[in-house]
């Protein structure tokens, strides 16, 4: 490690210690690295820091700036979502629309839409609150009013908003207003955020169709709200299903088991009700 690189690393460590978004246990590790009480060489000091951060990084449990720092000092490759996030800030082109859905943890709401023809980008983020630039920790505190959501930018010539609504209903438990699956709390509740009157009408009709189908014994509790602002989440939350394949598959499997059991029970209930 050259002197210039060492100086840069020390500066990053110092800035992360001062960063208010750094968690206390992360800060403790960084402070110990900065103080270097054992008098380690720069290389050994950096190796020890990598070793201490690695278990947290593998569990995807580092805050965004610390995660970026870890990737920098290890040289590990992180999927770049810069181009995807640019899509959020661009003006919509002809035939381009946006749909915003909340259905529990946004990690599991990306892949089902991302693989479809006509989908331009699926961005994880936050909707429903009022403060600017909310962080993941702030949203998780359930004090901001924000809900984990996905913004789907799509070409309406290839896929319609009605089709996206049908997919959305298949991914969630529409009878659970206190979260979704293992994700509990206000920040995980299911909501359809609409961007215009057309989407409002289509979403209301879609919800009413689900109610009239009597597929569910319990009431359909999914809210339909006008979106005020959608804020993209931090980089390491984007494309989680690509970055953390094994963890994502485990979460996805758990959700699929729940939904399969729920649909089976509801189907059996309807059959017996019809016979009676």
């Amino acid at each position: 490690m050259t002197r210039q690189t060492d100086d840069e690393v020390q500066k990053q460590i110092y800035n992360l210690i001062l960063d208010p978004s750094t968690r206390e246990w992360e800060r403790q590790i960084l402070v110990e690295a900065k103080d270097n009480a054992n008098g380690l060489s720069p290389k050994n000091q950096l190796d020890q820091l990598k070793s201490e951060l690695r278990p947290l990084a593998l569990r995807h449990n580092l805050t965004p700036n610390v995660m970026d720092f870890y990737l920098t000092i290890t040289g590990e490759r992180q999927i770049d979502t810069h181009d995807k996030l640019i899509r959020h800030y661009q003006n919509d082109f002809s035939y381009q629309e946006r749909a915003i859905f909340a259905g529990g943890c946004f990690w599991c709401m990306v892949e089902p839409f991302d693989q479809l023809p006509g989908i331009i980008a699926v961005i994880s983020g936050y909707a429903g609150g009022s403060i600017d630039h909310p962080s993941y920790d702030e949203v998780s505190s359930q004090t901001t009013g924000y809900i984990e959501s996905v913004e789907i930018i799509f070409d309406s010539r290839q896929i319609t908003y009605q089709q996206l609504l049908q997919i959305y209903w298949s991914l969630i438990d529409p009878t659970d207003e206190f979260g979704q699956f293992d994700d509990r709390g206000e920040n995980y509740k299911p909501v359809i955020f609409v961007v215009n009157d057309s989407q409002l009408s289509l979403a209301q009709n879609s919800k009413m169709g689900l109610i009239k189908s009597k597929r569910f014994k319990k009431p359909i509790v999914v809210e339909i709200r006008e979106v005020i602002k959608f804020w993209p989440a931090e980089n390491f939350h984007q494309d989680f299903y690509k970055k953390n394949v094994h963890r994502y598959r485990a979460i996805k499997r758990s959700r699929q088991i729940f939904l399969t059991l729920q649909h089976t029970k509801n189907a059996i209930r309807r059959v017996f009700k019809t016979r009676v």
Side-chain angles (χ1 to χ4, degrees):
M1 182 170 61
T2 65
R3 171 54 53 186
Q4 182 180 7
T5 302
D6 181 34
D7 289 342
E8 290 174 353
V9 169
Q10 292 299 327
K11 182 178 180 180
Q12 291 178 62
I13 291 174
Y14 182 74
N15 289 336
L16 287 171
I17 292 172
L18 298 179
D19 189 339
S21 66
T22 300
R23 295 191 181 102
E24 196 55 42
W25 40 266
E26 293 173 320
R27 185 173 288 108
Q28 181 178 346
I29 292 174
L30 294 165
V31 168
E32 290 175 356
K34 178 183 74 68
D35 293 344
N36 193 17
N38 294 326
L40 299 175
S41 68
K43 181 181 183 304
N44 290 338
Q45 179 190 18
L46 191 59
D47 287 342
Q48 180 173 309
L49 183 56
K50 293 177 187 177
S51 177
E52 292 179 343
L53 291 176
R54 183 170 294 112
L56 302 171
L58 292 176
R59 293 199 301 271
H60 219 68
N61 201 23
L62 295 175
T63 48
N65 290 340
V66 178
M67 184 66 172
D68 288 342
F69 170 71
Y70 172 79
L71 293 170
T72 298
I73 63 176
T74 60
E76 294 180 15
R77 182 175 177 272
Q78 180 81 316
I79 294 175
D80 185 9
T81 56
H82 179 69
D83 291 341
K84 173 177 281 194
L85 293 178
I86 285 177
R87 295 282 191 177
H88 166 77
Y89 297 102
Q90 288 178 334
N91 293 327
D92 291 341
F93 303 112
S94 298
Y95 303 106
Q96 184 172 298
E97 297 183 28
R98 296 169 190 253
I100 300 174
F101 299 134
C105 178
F106 48 26
W107 291 345
C108 291
M109 292 291 290
V110 176
E111 184 197 20
F113 296 102
D114 206 30
Q115 306 298 312
L116 300 174
I119 299 300
I120 298 168
V122 183
I123 301 168
S124 296
Y126 315 111
S130 57
I131 67 172
D132 290 346
H133 305 287
S135 69
Y136 181 78
D137 284 346
E138 288 173 329
V139 174
S140 297
S141 73
Q142 301 183 41
T143 60
T144 64
Y146 278 103
I147 301 170
E148 290 193 14
S149 312
V150 290
E151 178 184 62
I152 304 163
I153 304 174
F154 64 100
D155 186 332
S156 60
R157 295 170 298 181
Q158 299 183 58
I159 190 167
T160 66
Y161 185 69
Q162 295 96 314
Q163 290 174 304
L164 295 178
L165 284 168
Q166 291 175 358
I167 296 169
Y168 171 72
W169 292 121
S170 72
L171 298 174
I172 67 166
D173 174 6
T175 68
D176 187 354
E177 62 182 324
F178 301 109
Q180 288 289 289
F181 313 104
D182 295 329
D183 307 314
R184 314 313 301 162
E186 288 291 315
N187 54 314
Y188 292 123
K189 65 191 305 180
V191 179
I192 297 173
F193 290 99
V194 298
V195 302
N196 53 43
D197 290 340
S198 175
Q199 285 192 2
L200 174 61
S201 177
L202 291 170
Q204 289 174 334
N205 290 338
S206 180
K207 179 179 177 179
M208 184 56 63
L210 184 62
I211 294 172
K212 290 181 177 178
S213 73
K214 298 182 178 179
R215 284 172 48 196
F216 296 88
K217 182 179 181 180
K218 298 178 181 179
I220 305 301
V221 296
V222 176
E223 294 183 55
I224 300 174
R225 299 189 204 169
E226 178 185 2
V227 67
I228 304 302
K229 179 72 175 181
F230 176 89
W231 295 95
E234 297 85 344
N235 179 62
F236 74 87
H237 291 299
Q238 306 299 335
D239 286 335
F240 182 85
Y241 77 97
K242 295 179 181 178
K243 297 175 180 176
N244 295 268
V245 177
H246 296 297
R247 186 176 179 188
Y248 168 71
R249 286 177 179 171
I251 300 172
K252 179 181 178 181
R253 188 181 304 113
S254 176
R255 290 169 67 112
Q256 287 177 331
I257 291 172
F258 177 92
L259 289 173
T260 299
L261 290 174
Q262 183 186 60
H263 294 163
T264 301
K265 289 178 181 178
N266 287 333
I268 293 173
R269 177 183 57 82
R270 292 196 304 271
V271 168
F272 277 100
K273 187 175 181 180
T274 301
R275 290 180 179 177
V276 173

Coordinates of all heavy atoms in Angstrom, one line a residue, residues 78-90 121 123 235 238-239 243:
Q78 N -18.9 -4.5 -6.7 CA -20.3 -4.3 -6.4 C -21.1 -4.0 -7.7 O -20.6 -3.2 -8.5 CB -20.5 -3.2 -5.4 CG -22.0 -2.9 -5.0 CD -22.4 -3.9 -3.9 OE1 -22.2 -5.1 -4.0 NE2 -23.1 -3.4 -2.9
I79 N -22.3 -4.6 -7.9 CA -23.1 -4.2 -9.1 C -23.4 -2.8 -9.1 O -23.9 -2.2 -8.1 CB -24.4 -5.1 -9.1 CG1 -24.0 -6.6 -9.2 CG2 -25.3 -4.6 -10.2 CD1 -25.2 -7.5 -9.2
D80 N -23.1 -2.1 -10.2 CA -23.3 -0.7 -10.3 C -24.7 -0.4 -10.8 O -25.1 -0.9 -11.8 CB -22.3 -0.1 -11.3 CG -22.3 1.4 -11.4 OD1 -23.0 2.0 -10.6 OD2 -21.7 2.0 -12.3
T81 N -25.4 0.4 -9.9 CA -26.8 0.7 -10.3 C -26.9 2.2 -10.6 O -28.0 2.7 -10.6 CB -27.7 0.4 -9.1 OG1 -27.3 1.1 -7.9 CG2 -27.7 -1.1 -8.8
H82 N -25.8 2.8 -10.9 CA -25.8 4.3 -11.2 C -26.7 4.6 -12.4 O -27.6 5.5 -12.4 CB -24.4 4.8 -11.5 CG -24.4 6.2 -11.9 ND1 -24.6 7.2 -10.9 CD2 -24.1 6.9 -13.0 CE1 -24.5 8.4 -11.5 NE2 -24.2 8.2 -12.8
D83 N -26.6 3.8 -13.5 CA -27.4 4.0 -14.7 C -28.9 3.8 -14.4 O -29.8 4.5 -14.9 CB -27.0 3.1 -15.8 CG -25.7 3.4 -16.4 OD1 -25.2 4.6 -16.2 OD2 -25.0 2.6 -17.0
K84 N -29.2 2.8 -13.5 CA -30.6 2.6 -13.2 C -31.2 3.8 -12.4 O -32.3 4.3 -12.7 CB -30.8 1.3 -12.3 CG -32.2 1.1 -11.8 CD -32.3 -0.2 -11.0 CE -32.4 -1.4 -12.0 NZ -32.9 -2.6 -11.3
L85 N -30.4 4.3 -11.5 CA -30.9 5.4 -10.7 C -31.1 6.7 -11.5 O -31.9 7.5 -11.2 CB -30.0 5.7 -9.5 CG -29.9 4.6 -8.5 CD1 -28.9 4.9 -7.4 CD2 -31.3 4.4 -7.8
I86 N -30.3 6.8 -12.6 CA -30.4 8.0 -13.5 C -31.8 8.0 -14.1 O -32.4 9.1 -14.3 CB -29.3 8.0 -14.5 CG1 -28.0 8.4 -14.0 CG2 -29.7 8.9 -15.7 CD1 -26.8 8.3 -14.9
R87 N -32.3 6.8 -14.3 CA -33.7 6.7 -14.9 C -34.7 7.4 -14.1 O -35.7 7.9 -14.6 CB -34.1 5.2 -15.1 CG -33.2 4.5 -16.1 CD -33.6 4.8 -17.5 NE -32.9 3.8 -18.5 CZ -33.1 3.9 -19.8 NH1 -34.0 4.7 -20.3 NH2 -32.5 3.0 -20.6
H88 N -34.5 7.3 -12.7 CA -35.5 7.9 -11.8 C -35.6 9.4 -12.0 O -36.7 10.0 -11.9 CB -35.1 7.6 -10.4 CG -35.9 8.4 -9.4 ND1 -37.2 8.2 -9.0 CD2 -35.5 9.5 -8.6 CE1 -37.6 9.1 -8.2 NE2 -36.6 9.9 -7.9
Y89 N -34.4 10.0 -12.3 CA -34.4 11.5 -12.3 C -34.7 12.0 -13.8 O -34.8 13.3 -13.9 CB -33.0 12.0 -11.9 CG -32.8 11.6 -10.4 CD1 -32.0 10.6 -10.1 CD2 -33.4 12.4 -9.4 CE1 -31.7 10.2 -8.7 CE2 -33.2 12.0 -8.1 CZ -32.3 11.0 -7.7 OH -32.1 10.7 -6.4
Q90 N -34.7 11.2 -14.7 CA -35.0 11.6 -16.1 C -36.5 11.9 -16.2 O -37.4 11.3 -15.6 CB -34.6 10.5 -17.1 CG -33.1 10.4 -17.3 CD -32.8 9.3 -18.3 OE1 -33.6 8.3 -18.5 NE2 -31.6 9.4 -18.9
A121 N -36.8 0.0 -15.8 CA -36.0 0.0 -14.6 C -37.0 -0.3 -13.4 O -38.1 0.1 -13.4 CB -35.3 1.3 -14.3
I123 N -36.7 0.3 -9.3 CA -35.9 1.0 -8.3 C -36.4 0.8 -6.9 O -37.6 1.1 -6.7 CB -35.7 2.5 -8.7 CG1 -35.1 2.6 -10.1 CG2 -34.9 3.2 -7.7 CD1 -35.2 4.0 -10.6
N235 N -27.6 2.7 -2.5 CA -27.1 1.8 -3.6 C -27.1 0.4 -3.3 O -27.5 -0.5 -4.1 CB -25.7 2.2 -4.0 CG -25.1 1.4 -5.1 OD1 -25.6 1.3 -6.2 ND2 -24.0 0.6 -4.8
Q238 N -30.3 -1.6 -4.1 CA -30.7 -1.7 -5.4 C -30.2 -3.1 -6.0 O -29.1 -3.6 -5.7 CB -30.1 -0.6 -6.3 CG -30.4 0.8 -5.8 CD -31.9 1.1 -5.8 OE1 -32.7 0.5 -6.5 NE2 -32.3 2.0 -4.9
D239 N -31.2 -3.8 -6.7 CA -30.8 -5.1 -7.3 C -30.3 -6.1 -6.3 O -29.4 -6.8 -6.6 CB -29.8 -4.9 -8.5 CG -30.4 -4.3 -9.7 OD1 -31.6 -4.4 -9.9 OD2 -29.7 -3.7 -10.5
K243 N -27.2 -9.1 -6.1 CA -26.0 -8.9 -5.3 C -25.9 -10.0 -4.2 O -24.8 -10.4 -3.7 CB -26.1 -7.6 -4.6 CG -26.0 -6.4 -5.6 CD -26.2 -5.1 -4.8 CE -26.1 -3.9 -5.8 NZ -26.4 -2.6 -5.1

